[in-house]
Amino acid sequence: MEVKVFSNILDANDRLAEQNRRKLASHDILALNIIGSPGCGKTTLLERTLDIISKRGRIRAGVIEGDIATSRDAERIRKFGVPVVQINTRGACHLDASMVGSVLDELPLDKIDVLLVENVGNLVCPADFDIGEHAKVLVISVTEGEDKPQKYPLIFRLAKVAVITKTDLLPHLDFDIQKLIADMDSIQKAQARFRLSARTGEGCEAWVEWIEQVRQELAPRR
Amino acid sequence: MHELSIAGSVLEKVLEETKKHGGGKVTEIKLQIGKLSHIMPDALDFAFLTLAEGTPAAKARIDIERVPLRLKCRACGWEGQATEDTFACQQCKGADVEITAGMELVLASFTLDNGG
């Protein structure tokens, strides 16, 4: 006999992601899932972001760091005095909803407005796993080449935000940023885009303003 | 990627449904995997065989239907299969498209031989 099922194989992850989403919503937290290749500048971007957020003083941040091993990234973030939890996946190449769900209660959720989740360095697998975020933020650096969008269509399609990093290096590269943008447009045009250098700070204020604005729209302060 | 955990989820669901339908041997399992999904059919096959050993699904054949990427244009209403390199509407060349197929990871059905 043929048994019809038609169930989503990733149902277990998706249900946990919804649980995370509901928990975050109950605390009015904007959650961003930061995805990019190893070395593209995710942690440095986070450091600059936390620095600007703290100086502007309008919202409070919390961080979840995801890595296969070490707590090096969490140590860097700790210097900014924000709540941070390190997840070591011990081999898994991406964060999933279960991992994120298991650490949410280690953060002071009533004292956080934006939760920045730095995923494991990887342009492939994190795209497949909903962790309960509002938006996937793709970080792509100018040292990675203009041909990546069509090579990694899923993440370029799903990301609601794209941050092009390391723009301070442009004078030393044969990198055509318009070519990258055109390739990105062929996959997804409905995407907030930022070009910045986390190292020099150029362009970073606009990125933080976007975070504050989206958080404000999510939960307007009374 | 993650074929092992995907195979595990498929096996769990198939065994659960097999029990509900009075047991038996699973001979074939049909999956629908979208083109955009990062799953390799051969690796999934191998992972499943490894996990299913000793279960009613130990000899099941995995049949994977690779679902092509289909788009629907919100601007002009065009609907159709996407070409290789772009998500643009093939009628108006616009970028306001939604994906209607090609991202799924679905256990569609399986064949149960209850010997009756």
Side-chain angles (χ1 to χ4, degrees):
Chain A
M1 63 183 292
E2 198 191 9
V3 179
K4 291 206 200 298
V5 184
F6 285 104
S7 67
N8 169 17
I9 296 169
L10 283 182
D11 190 49
N13 184 79
D14 289 353
R15 272 186 277 120
L16 288 171
E18 269 317 301
Q19 231 174 275
N20 292 346
R21 197 161 269 123
R22 277 196 301 270
K23 184 173 250 180
L24 292 163
S26 74
H27 292 275
D28 288 334
I29 296 175
L30 168 67
L32 300 175
N33 184 1
I34 298 163
I35 294 171
S37 302
C40 69
K42 295 183 293 299
T43 314
T44 306
L45 174 64
L46 270 190
E47 289 174 315
R48 177 66 71 172
T49 304
L50 293 172
D51 186 49
I52 297 175
I53 283 179
S54 142
K55 289 191 169 102
R56 287 167 66 97
R58 280 167 221 199
I59 53 175
R60 305 158 300 176
V63 175
I64 292 178
E65 279 291 343
D67 282 293
I68 291 182
T70 83
S71 53
R72 285 177 180 178
D73 285 354
E75 292 312 313
R76 284 168 67 175
I77 299 300
R78 212 153 269 138
K79 297 195 193 102
F80 292 85
V82 300
V84 54
V85 177
Q86 175 83 56
I87 297 175
N88 281 143
T89 70
R90 292 181 213 287
C93 44
H94 60 274
L95 291 178
D96 64 23
S98 158
M99 293 173 200
V100 171
S102 70
V103 302
L104 279 181
D105 287 333
E106 291 178 37
L107 292 162
L109 298 177
D110 53 340
K111 296 191 174 70
I112 292 174
D113 302 312
V114 60
L115 178 62
L116 302 162
V117 182
E118 184 183 338
N119 215 309
V120 178
N122 184 344
L123 270 185
V124 182
C125 317
D128 294 309
F129 294 88
D130 183 3
I131 56 172
E133 77 272 1
H134 279 93
K136 288 178 171 59
V137 176
L138 167 64
V139 178
I140 177 101
S141 70
V142 300
T143 53
E144 292 174 72
E146 307 93 339
D147 59 348
K148 296 303 172 288
Q150 288 189 11
K151 289 169 83 171
Y152 298 92
L154 190 59
I155 186 56
F156 276 87
R157 175 72 196 175
L158 296 181
K160 294 205 178 100
V161 187
V163 179
I164 300 170
T165 53
K166 307 192 186 181
T167 52
D168 56 303
L169 293 179
L170 284 171
H172 308 285
L173 304 166
D174 292 328
F175 183 82
D176 183 348
I177 206 164
Q178 292 315 318
K179 215 167 156 205
L180 172 67
I181 306 260
D183 211 40
M184 286 167 81
D185 280 349
S186 76
I187 306 287
Q188 176 64 275
K189 251 185 161 165
Q191 199 170 66
R193 299 214 181 118
F194 301 94
R195 302 180 202 192
L196 50 82
S197 163
R199 190 176 145 267
T200 65
E202 187 182 11
C204 295
E205 204 83 18
W207 151 243
V208 174
E209 274 168 19
W210 178 89
I211 296 175
E212 288 171 357
Q213 189 193 314
V214 176
R215 169 53 180 65
Q216 173 70 8
E217 283 163 13
L218 191 87
R221 287 254 145 82
R222 282 163 201 75
Chain B
M1 273 254 57
H2 322 116
E3 282 77 2
L4 199 60
S5 81
I6 302 282
S9 298
V10 171
L11 181 63
E12 195 180 319
K13 187 72 181 177
V14 166
L15 293 180
E16 184 189 303
E17 291 292 317
T18 296
K19 254 203 197 130
K20 276 191 206 159
H21 286 82
K25 286 212 171 353
V26 181
T27 55
E28 189 184 57
I29 299 173
K30 289 197 163 112
L31 305 178
Q32 290 169 349
I33 298 182
K35 185 161 187 283
L36 270 191
S37 165
H38 300 128
I39 297 294
M40 290 174 349
D42 287 349
L44 185 57
D45 238 2
F46 179 74
F48 188 86
L49 281 174
T50 308
L51 293 175
E53 211 176 295
T55 74
K59 297 256 165 35
R61 194 181 77 90
I62 311 278
D63 173 21
I64 294 174
E65 179 195 336
R66 207 76 214 226
V67 182
L69 186 60
R70 287 190 70 86
L71 308 172
K72 181 173 180 169
C73 180
R74 289 191 195 101
C76 75
W78 171 84
E79 202 167 349
Q81 204 163 303
T83 61
E84 200 56 35
D85 299 336
T86 176
F87 284 64
C89 168
Q90 276 161 43
Q91 192 160 266
C92 71
K93 309 292 176 219
D96 190 11
V97 297
E98 67 177 282
I99 296 175
T100 55
M103 286 195 5
E104 51 279 274
L105 207 55
V106 168
L107 165 58
S109 64
F110 64 95
T111 311
L112 190 57
D113 178 1
N114 5 43

